[in-house]
Amino acid sequence: MFPLMTLPQQMMLISMQATQAYFVTYLETSLRLMAQGHMASEEVAGRVTAAAEQVNRAAQDALCAAGKDKCDSLPV
């Protein structure tokens, strides 16, 4: 601390330092949480995409099988 500062000035300086420390901590924590959320959303998106592709393939196979059965049942 500076010895020539009055008590109110010292209190103001300490308050400003505490506020700065709070906002730096808040910013670091926010950035870390946003990064974690982004990684989690990418992971979920990958799983959803894989599941959708699997459902799409199953639907295409079912349509092909239904079409083949329909064509096989037609009289020649």
Side-chain angles (χ1 to χ4, degrees):
M1 221 35 87
F2 300 104
L4 301 176
M5 294 178 71
T6 63
L7 183 61
Q9 289 173 328
Q10 291 174 358
M11 291 173 60
M12 179 60 83
L13 179 61
I14 290 170
S15 174
M16 290 170 60
Q17 289 171 341
T19 302
Q20 180 183 12
Y22 168 80
F23 281 112
V24 167
T25 304
Y26 174 81
L27 182 62
E28 289 173 348
T29 303
S30 295
L31 291 173
R32 182 175 45 83
L33 290 173
M34 284 190 289
Q36 288 175 352
H38 182 70
M39 289 185 303
S41 67
E42 283 183 346
E43 181 181 338
V44 169
R47 282 194 229 144
V48 168
T49 301
E53 289 173 352
Q54 189 176 15
V55 168
N56 189 25
R57 273 185 248 120
Q60 287 177 351
D61 292 345
L63 285 172
C64 287
K68 186 174 185 283
D69 291 345
K70 188 70 170 173
C71 288
D72 289 344
S73 67
L74 291 175
V76 180

